[in-house]
Amino acid sequence: MSQHSVVNKILITAGTHGNEMSGIEYVKNLQANEQIRAQLLGQASDIDIELAIVNKLAVEKRIRYVEEDLNRQFSQEKLSALTGDNLEHQLAIEFNLAFGPKYEPTRDLVIDIHNTTSNMGPTLIILQSDEFHQKMAQYVKANMPEAIILIEDHIPYKQHPYLCTLGKTGIMIEVGPQPHSVLRPAAYLQTEKMTKLVVAFCDRWNKRTLGDLDVVDAFRLTEEVYFPLCPAGNKLAMIHPNLQNNDFMILNKGAPAFLTFEGETLNWEGEDDVFPHFIGESAYYHLNIAFALSRKTSI
């Protein structure tokens, strides 16, 4: 987003995954409670905010998705289809028609709210590192020191298959740890606080009243790491207890990474100075993804 672009329309979504309850409950409360909605808007009366619970059947069933992950359905190829191959693909096509289209976006910003079972804290995921997103990260971090900034700009913004890319720009709020299908007060309150800060930032961006902001630490996604498997495809090991729950803590070569079911420690054989996150995320377990890696940077 250019320096002089104005954020007039914000779409806030939740229920992209139907068992991630912080965003679902927060958006439902925003829809039903004028006082909570007024608290979100603050002084940003000139910003039009829309709200959507996305995968309503998955929310009703308290499951991540019915047939396929909805947050991987928003690629150009999938959105170009006339009809979907499954429920979530069809839902993405319909959602794109209602709130997109992705390649001629009508919403300035999409905020998609998620939960993780990993110990990631309140994480702001940005998909671009231009001035708008740098200032957003700096503003959020200045007002919420516990926030983590995660940058996923390894591919161009519109190549991501995420729902939030329906907007001219889009971000994800990812808060954990929270077990799926339940609500934890800490995660809910962090979700609410970060969402409010993003909206407040947009208001200040529009009015050019941000002032000076300090450069902040951030993490840039590099790759995913998989569980070691036997030839039959079964897992040989689990995440080592020394690594579990240590999201965004440094991992160096030789540190414990996995523990086999026979009790043998498998040490990290990759590069030094990497920072795991999404450690042991339950939604990725069936994909054999143990954690993601990032490099520390500044923004």
Side-chain angles (χ1 to χ4, degrees), residues 226-237 266 285-289:
Y226 293 82
F227 286 99
L229 304 177
C230 70
N234 296 323
K235 291 178 178 64
L236 290 174
L266 304 179
Y285 192 80
H286 74 289
L287 300 172
N288 290 321
I289 297 172

Side-chain angles (χ1 to χ4, degrees), residues 23 29 132 137 219-220 240 259-260 290:
N29 288 332
F132 177 79
F219 300 87
R220 177 169 273 115
H240 196 279
L259 183 67
T260 72

Side-chain angles (χ1 to χ4, degrees), residues 1 6-13 46-50 79 93-111 157-158 163-170:
M1 184 171 288
V6 175
V7 181
N8 290 318
K9 291 181 176 293
I10 297 178
L11 171 64
I12 302 175
T13 57
D46 56 343
I47 295 178
D48 177 26
I49 293 183
E50 298 171 281
L79 294 178
I93 293 170
E94 294 172 359
F95 201 80
N96 183 55
L97 290 173
F99 292 99
K102 177 169 179 170
Y103 293 94
E104 293 182 10
T106 54
R107 275 64 177 180
D108 298 308
L109 173 65
V110 177
I111 305 171
Y157 169 66
K158 286 296 183 181
L163 179 147
C164 69
T165 61
L166 287 185
K168 292 177 184 177
T169 192

Side-chain angles (χ1 to χ4, degrees), residues 30-288:
L30 286 170
Q31 291 173 328
N33 190 308
E34 287 297 329
Q35 181 178 351
I36 294 174
R37 188 178 174 92
Q39 290 171 355
L40 171 67
L41 280 168
Q43 302 300 314
S45 57
D46 56 343
I47 295 178
D48 177 26
I49 293 183
E50 298 171 281
L51 305 164
I53 300 293
V54 188
N55 197 340
K56 293 179 181 177
L57 183 58
V59 171
E60 180 183 331
K61 293 178 175 291
R62 291 290 192 271
I63 55 177
R64 183 175 175 85
Y65 53 82
V66 178
E67 296 184 80
E68 196 170 292
D69 192 336
L70 178 58
N71 209 31
R72 304 296 185 272
Q73 305 300 311
F74 290 86
S75 65
Q76 182 175 11
E77 178 184 4
K78 287 184 175 289
L79 294 178
S80 298
L82 295 178
T83 58
D85 296 330
N86 53 62
L87 184 145
E88 275 79 15
H89 186 191
Q90 181 63 34
L91 184 57
I93 293 170
E94 294 172 359
F95 201 80
N96 183 55
L97 290 173
F99 292 99
K102 177 169 179 170
Y103 293 94
E104 293 182 10
T106 54
R107 275 64 177 180
D108 298 308
L109 173 65
V110 177
I111 305 171
D112 193 26
I113 303 176
H114 291 265
N115 286 120
T116 175
T117 61
S118 302
N119 189 31
M120 287 172 55
T123 302
L124 175 66
I125 301 178
I126 59 175
L127 307 179
Q128 301 173 87
S129 50
D130 57 14
E131 183 186 12
F132 177 79
H133 293 88
Q134 289 177 20
K135 295 295 186 184
M136 179 190 292
Q138 292 165 1
Y139 182 83
V140 169
K141 188 76 173 175
N143 291 280
M144 191 177 187
E146 67 273 27
I148 299 289
I149 310 301
L150 178 60
I151 308 167
E152 295 189 9
D153 61 354
H154 53 287
I155 60 175
Y157 169 66
K158 286 296 183 181
Q159 288 184 21
H160 285 283
Y162 303 140
L163 179 147
C164 69
T165 61
L166 287 185
K168 292 177 184 177
T169 192
I171 63 167
M172 288 176 282
I173 292 174
E174 184 84 60
V175 181
Q178 180 170 275
H180 291 321
S181 303
V182 302
L183 183 67
R184 292 278 171 86
Y188 180 91
L189 293 172
Q190 288 173 333
T191 297
E192 181 180 43
K193 183 176 182 179
M194 187 173 282
T195 307
K196 287 179 178 179
L197 285 173
V198 171
V199 173
F201 161 78
C202 291
D203 179 56
R204 288 178 174 269
W205 170 268
N206 290 348
K207 296 173 181 175
R208 304 187 188 183
T209 58
L210 282 167
D212 295 329
L213 293 168
D214 293 331
V215 172
V216 297
D217 289 336
F219 300 87
R220 177 169 273 115
L221 173 70
T222 57
E223 62 180 309
E224 294 170 335
V225 176
Y226 293 82
F227 286 99
L229 304 177
C230 70
N234 296 323
K235 291 178 178 64
L236 290 174
M238 53 191 157
I239 293 167
H240 196 279
N242 289 7
L243 178 58
Q244 184 66 56
N245 296 328
N246 284 322
D247 295 73
F248 297 112
M249 302 294 288
I250 194 168
L251 179 66
N252 286 318
K253 186 177 292 186
F258 296 101
L259 183 67
T260 72
F261 297 112
E262 291 79 22
E264 177 188 358
T265 294
L266 304 179
N267 293 328
W268 176 242
E269 298 179 353
E271 297 180 345
D272 287 333
D273 300 328
V274 292
F275 293 82
H277 57 280
F278 281 118
I279 299 174
E281 163 57 48
S282 67
Y284 300 157
Y285 192 80
H286 74 289
L287 300 172
N288 290 321

